[in-house]
């Protein structure tokens, strides 16, 4: 068996010990005689799996008691609609910060439900930075402020927390949740698709302050209503049981590792391997402002774009996979989520150096 280094943006690499444990438990979970996939979501075995996953996530992120943790479906994309449906609460507008492809999609979807005020944008410099809070034009009547705390495609990460006063702050953390400690208490709502940094596709985690729920738009489907889902322990209908189980194993893996502070140190070391190299070569470059570079998604470019294809082909042959940048921006992108080992970042830089020598 050979495992490659998978730099995909999502679905993405998972920790090997998690995959091994899942393989061992595949046919017979803890003596139950069935796989988790075959269990009733209402049975005590699966309920214990889901409860443990929630407890471990609460512990890892230090989620305060007055927040609900929901295990939903539909991806972050469905949350683009669910957020306004639940959080407008009679208001007519919301503030959005536009920092790239995912922000744009969130804005477009929200516009179906309310007037969107784009409070700040980095479109002027091709979404290559996080706009400073001083320049944000927040609307005091906004129901909430939404931002994409890590733009997966552009590789732009907010390394600071916006201050929106009493206006609820909402973050799409899909591609950097659990990569480092975050102060959940400063947010009204955090959402994230699991397939970047938590587990398989099919699960979406929503963390929402409980005083904000219960006032959704009348046309909100019940599975999208946070209050209804919270009241049913996220089991208004059949949840993504296997995805919840795997995410639970990922949470346990993170706890064994020492939690999010430890994870952050590892992630910083990994990102430094790549960025330090990119900064000392003329052959490649990072298109992202230095202070706003993502620890999780590292876009980079070859100065000579004619070499892109051969670069990707040779990387592929070396077991360095999924380095092609998003189709909307081109170039390269290395996603180095929690489960990517330091050895993966080092192997990539070693290849990049050799490629430069033979093509520079
Ligand atoms: C991947 C991603 C999404 C979309 O997630 P889906 O689960 O495919 O809906 C939204 N926002 C960000 C920041 C992402 O990285």
């Amino acid at each position: 068996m050979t495992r490659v280094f998978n730099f995909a943006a999502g679905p993405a690499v998972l920790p090997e010990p998690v995959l091994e444990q899942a393989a061992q438990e595949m046919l017979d979970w803890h003596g139950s005689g069935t796989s988790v996939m075959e269990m009733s979501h209402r049975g005590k075995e699966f309920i214990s799996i889901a409860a443990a996953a929630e407890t471990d996530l609460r512990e890892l992120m230090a989620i305060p008691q007055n927040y609900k943790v929901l295990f939903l479906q539909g991806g972050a994309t469905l949350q683009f609609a669910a957020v306004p449906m639940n959080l407008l609460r009679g208001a007519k507008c919301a503030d959005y910060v536009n920092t790239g492809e995912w922000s744009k999609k969130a804005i477009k979807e929200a516009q179906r439900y309310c007037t969107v005020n784009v409070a700040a944008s980095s479109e002027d410099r091709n979404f290559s930075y996080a706009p400073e809070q001083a320049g944000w034009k927040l609307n005091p009547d906004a129901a909430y402020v939404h931002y994409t705390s890590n733009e997966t495609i552009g590789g732009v990460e907010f390394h600071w927390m916006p201050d929106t006063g009493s206006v609820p702050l909402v973050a799409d953390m899909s591609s950097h949740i659990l990569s480092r400690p975050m102060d959940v208490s400063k947010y009204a709502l955090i959402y994230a698709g699991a397939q970047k940094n938590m587990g398989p596709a099919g699960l979406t985690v929503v963390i929402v302050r409980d005083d904000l729920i219960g006032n959704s738009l009348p046309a909100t489907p019940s599975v999208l209503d946070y209050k209804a889902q919270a009241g049913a322990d996220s089991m208004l209908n059949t949840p993504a049981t296997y995805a919840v189980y795997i995410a639970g194993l990922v949470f346990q893996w993170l706890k064994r590792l020492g939690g999010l502070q430890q994870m952050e140190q590892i992630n910083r070391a990994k990102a430094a391997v790549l960025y330090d190299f990119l900064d000392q070569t003329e052959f490649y470059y990072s298109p992202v402002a230095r202070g706003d570079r993502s620890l999780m998604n590292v876009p980079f470019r070859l100065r000579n774009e004619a070499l892109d294809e051969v670069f990707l082909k040779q990387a592929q042959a070396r077991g360095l996979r999924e380095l092609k940048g998003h189709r909307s921006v081109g170039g390269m992108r290395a996603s180095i989520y929690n489960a990517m080992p330091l050895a993966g970042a080092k192997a990539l830089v070693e290849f990049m150096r050799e490629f430069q020598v033979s093509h520079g």
Side-chain angles (χ1 to χ4, degrees), residues 74-78 80 102 148 150-152 172 174-175 193 195-196:
T77 303
L78 194 53
F80 295 165
W102 291 118
T148 310
N150 185 68
E151 279 280 359
T152 322
D172 176 357
S174 292
S175 49
Q195 74 273 21
K196 312 297 171 46

Side-chain angles (χ1 to χ4, degrees), residues 289-306:
R290 208 171 276 250
D292 304 327
R293 290 172 173 175
S294 170
L295 296 182
M296 297 280 100
N297 310 98
V298 184
F300 62 92
R301 292 178 167 266
L302 278 65
R303 295 233 178 248
N304 178 1
E305 282 177 20

Side-chain angles (χ1 to χ4, degrees), residues 245-301:
Y245 158 70
I246 298 286
L249 296 185
V250 170
F251 302 156
Q252 287 169 17
W253 171 79
L254 279 165
K255 281 175 65 178
R256 285 198 301 275
L257 207 78
L260 299 192
Q261 255 150 2
Q262 190 60 27
M263 193 69 251
E264 174 174 13
Q265 281 181 22
I266 297 168
N267 285 332
R268 286 196 182 282
K270 265 187 290 182
V273 167
L274 277 165
Y275 289 121
D276 288 352
F277 174 70
L278 288 171
D279 285 343
Q280 49 93 17
T281 148
E282 287 293 312
F283 190 80
Y284 308 94
Y285 67 98
S286 156
V288 180
R290 208 171 276 250
D292 304 327
R293 290 172 173 175
S294 170
L295 296 182
M296 297 280 100
N297 310 98
V298 184
F300 62 92
R301 292 178 167 266

Side-chain angles (χ1 to χ4, degrees), residues 142 201 353:
R353 203 174 266 131

